[in-house]
Amino acid sequence: VDFAHSDAEAMKRFVIDVLGYREGNVIDLRDATKARLEAVFGVANSHKGQLFDWVRPGKSDIVVFYSGHGVPGLEDRRGYLLPADGDPNRIELNGYPVELLYENLSKIEARSITVFIDACFSGNTPKGLLIPATSGISVTPRIPEGSSKLTVLTAAQGDQLASWDEEAGHGLFTYHLLRALSGEAD
């Protein structure tokens, strides 16, 4: 995705410089493979990935930021994060389900968990469809019940496109999110 790296760097700088996180407490997953996403966030039968290991129960605040492609599952109509080694035509096999991300995060005993996703799950991009010979699909990932500590903000609903601000060199969502979090929304 255009500007995903600049989005990631800007968010990393925000959590370190503004929120006061130590740089050593930031897991930076640029161009992450499916194996790396699973190692950090866990798999369907275990939420105990690297992030789980780093959390101090009841004391840690987690911020998860994703800038990249989201892809709809053609069969199961679920939303998936598209790993760097993923094939959008086989996303049910090699994507990372957004619902799994939410489920595994909700099992971590952090004080708070905030998720920002600068992606859409329509299968459409300004450059065309990610999955050739299909029409767009609408997906709506569900947040697990009883996840009161989990806050999710996304760039788009299941049938909408996420886009970029060419002049700013960022995803449109990321650009305005960081401006708002830095005080312009006060």
Side-chain angles (χ1 to χ4, degrees), residues 113-144:
I113 304 168
T114 306
V115 180
F116 302 107
I117 297 181
D118 196 343
C120 62
F121 297 92
S122 65
N124 291 312
T125 73
K127 297 176 183 175
L129 291 170
L130 285 172
I131 306 169
T134 64
S135 57
I137 296 173
S138 177
V139 298
T140 306
R142 290 181 299 250
I143 297 175

Side-chain angles (χ1 to χ4, degrees), residues 50-64:
Q50 179 184 1
L51 181 60
F52 174 85
D53 293 342
W54 284 22
V55 170
R56 291 182 304 154
K59 296 185 179 183
S60 296
D61 295 308
I62 297 172
V63 174
V64 175

Side-chain angles (χ1 to χ4, degrees), residues 53-156:
D53 293 342
W54 284 22
V55 170
R56 291 182 304 154
K59 296 185 179 183
S60 296
D61 295 308
I62 297 172
V63 174
V64 175
F65 174 77
Y66 177 82
S67 178
H69 285 298
V71 180
L74 295 177
E75 298 296 322
D76 64 12
R77 302 182 71 81
R78 294 169 63 194
Y80 291 84
L81 303 179
L82 179 62
D85 61 347
D87 176 356
N89 293 297
R90 303 278 184 264
I91 200 67
E92 284 116 339
L93 296 174
N94 58 35
Y96 194 83
V98 175
E99 288 179 13
L100 177 61
L101 174 69
Y102 296 162
E103 287 171 21
N104 285 353
L105 288 172
S106 70
K107 294 174 185 173
I108 297 175
E109 295 180 20
R111 181 172 51 191
S112 69
I113 304 168
T114 306
V115 180
F116 302 107
I117 297 181
D118 196 343
C120 62
F121 297 92
S122 65
N124 291 312
T125 73
K127 297 176 183 175
L129 291 170
L130 285 172
I131 306 169
T134 64
S135 57
I137 296 173
S138 177
V139 298
T140 306
R142 290 181 299 250
I143 297 175
E145 302 228 357
S147 301
S148 61
K149 63 185 171 197
L150 184 62
T151 302
V152 177
L153 290 122
T154 63

